[in-house]
Amino acid sequence: MSVKFIWIGLASAVFLAVVISPFASPWLDGLERVAENAGVLERGEGEPLIAAPVPDYAMPGVPNERLATSIAGVVGTVLIFAAAWGIFKLTLRKRENGK
Amino acid sequence: MHIPDGFLDAKTFVTLDVAAAGLIGVATSRVRKALEERAVPLMAVLAAFIFAAQMLNFPVVGGTSGHFTGGALAALTLGPWPAVLIMTLVLVIQSLFFGDGGILALGANIFNMGFVAPFVAYGVYRVVRLVFRSNAGLYVGSFVASWLAVVAAATACALELSVSGLIPFSVSVPAMAGIHALIGIGEGIITAGAVAVLVASRVEVLKLKEVPGGVG
């Protein structure tokens, strides 16, 4: 597993999250559409138990919607990469025999 | 298919929260036996990619969109139990940080996208590989496995909605399975594509190289 692969992988993820995500389809997703057709979608739109810092992938305080999505995207991608690295590093064993 | 809070009733979300906690415990124990620290970078890149790719909703039909979920890709790369942990991390952050998916519903979402999808994908992949042992089988297998995984997860989701009394079975199951049969095509294409990249990069910790019978 080369370091280069990791950097390219992370950069690709960030690219998707920053450049492509603002142009993602705004249409309801499959579950939402099914709920909407059944007339129950609004049951899922109540007050959240804990207020999310970046609700709906739009960074608060950024007036341009596309930019808000891009920023949310890069923040989330890097956050997940770092959290995964940290948590799994703590979880997995070191190599048994040197190197 | 992130279920928000308000869709599932208490008996359903509590049961699934408990089930998910148990699955995470089993997964942690299995993963500690199966993987070493050197798998950490790949797990982190996978988690990041899955998160980013999940943001890319694509239109499917009539005002409805779909998005990649990634449980299958994680399972085909590292195995189903590591996939449980990777998907759990993504889903927890999506819920708490971005409000995507409920908090009480986390157990259900982890069960559907983080357990059903990876295990169905892994099982289907191994069966397909029994038939298609060639290199092409890697991609046919990845596509079929991830497609079925999405349909299976969506069906589980539909059952949960119905058991909660939200939508009758006769409506929820065909509707969820039907739309996700289309969305699953996207999942299949993205998964097969990602597999191609992993193979070309000669990533060595690859579950999908295992063919039943030991060749690979």
Side-chain angles (χ1 to χ4, degrees):
Chain A
M1 171 74 31
S2 72
V3 174
K4 191 174 91 167
F5 175 85
I6 300 303
W7 276 112
I8 292 177
L10 179 58
S12 308
V14 169
F15 174 82
L16 291 176
V18 171
V19 176
I20 312 292
S21 76
F23 302 101
S25 170
W27 289 348
L28 297 182
D29 78 14
L31 169 60
E32 290 166 335
R33 173 59 62 196
V34 171
E36 161 83 355
N37 289 351
V40 294
L41 182 58
E42 79 276 2
R43 293 226 214 151
E45 289 171 349
E47 277 303 304
L49 237 64
I50 302 171
V54 189
D56 283 321
Y57 302 99
M59 187 59 69
V62 180
N64 181 294
E65 211 187 295
R66 294 222 159 111
L67 188 58
T69 305
S70 293
I71 295 176
V74 64
V75 167
T77 303
V78 172
L79 171 66
I80 291 221
F81 182 84
W85 192 290
I87 290 170
F88 295 135
K89 194 129 209 273
L90 289 171
T91 309
L92 299 181
R93 299 162 293 133
K94 292 203 188 335
R95 264 202 113 92
E96 303 291 277
N97 42 326
K99 211 291 190 208
Chain B
M1 63 178 93
H2 295 60
I3 303 172
D5 283 334
F7 275 11
L8 302 176
D9 69 358
K11 72 174 189 298
T12 306
F13 69 68
V14 168
T15 302
L16 288 165
D17 285 338
V18 171
L23 289 169
I24 292 165
V26 174
T28 304
S29 157
R30 296 287 181 112
V31 170
R32 282 180 55 82
K33 291 192 187 100
L35 296 179
E36 285 173 357
E37 210 186 39
R38 67 190 176 102
V40 167
L42 179 56
M43 292 179 84
V45 162
L46 262 177
F49 174 79
I50 286 170
F51 171 82
Q54 282 208 20
M55 288 182 78
L56 313 180
N57 283 50
F58 46 86
V60 183
V61 71
T64 304
S65 71
H67 63 78
F68 176 74
T69 45
L73 177 63
L76 296 179
T77 308
L78 287 164
W81 288 114
V84 171
L85 297 185
I86 291 170
M87 293 305 292
T88 295
L89 178 66
V90 172
L91 289 165
V92 167
I93 289 182
Q94 285 176 324
S95 170
L96 294 179
F97 215 75
F98 298 99
D100 189 4
I103 292 170
L104 298 170
L106 263 173
N109 288 322
I110 289 170
F111 182 81
N112 300 336
M113 291 180 270
F115 176 69
V116 170
F119 275 87
V120 167
Y122 188 67
V124 168
Y125 179 78
R126 289 183 69 90
V127 168
V128 172
R129 285 295 258 156
L130 279 169
V131 178
F132 290 94
R133 290 177 180 263
S134 68
N135 226 37
L138 273 169
Y139 306 107
V140 170
S142 301
F143 181 90
V144 173
S146 50
W147 180 82
L148 271 171
V150 166
V151 175
T155 304
C157 180
L159 293 174
E160 290 149 13
L161 298 177
S162 296
V163 159
S164 297
L166 190 75
I167 305 175
F169 289 100
S170 57
V171 173
S172 70
V173 175
M176 283 295 282
I179 194 68
H180 285 87
L182 293 176
I183 295 171
I185 295 173
E187 180 100 13
I189 292 170
I190 296 171
T191 301
V195 163
V197 169
L198 288 168
V199 169
S201 310
R202 299 178 208 281
V203 169
E204 77 267 7
V205 190
L206 268 190
K207 260 319 186 187
L208 48 70
K209 291 256 172 119
E210 283 175 16
V211 176
V215 178

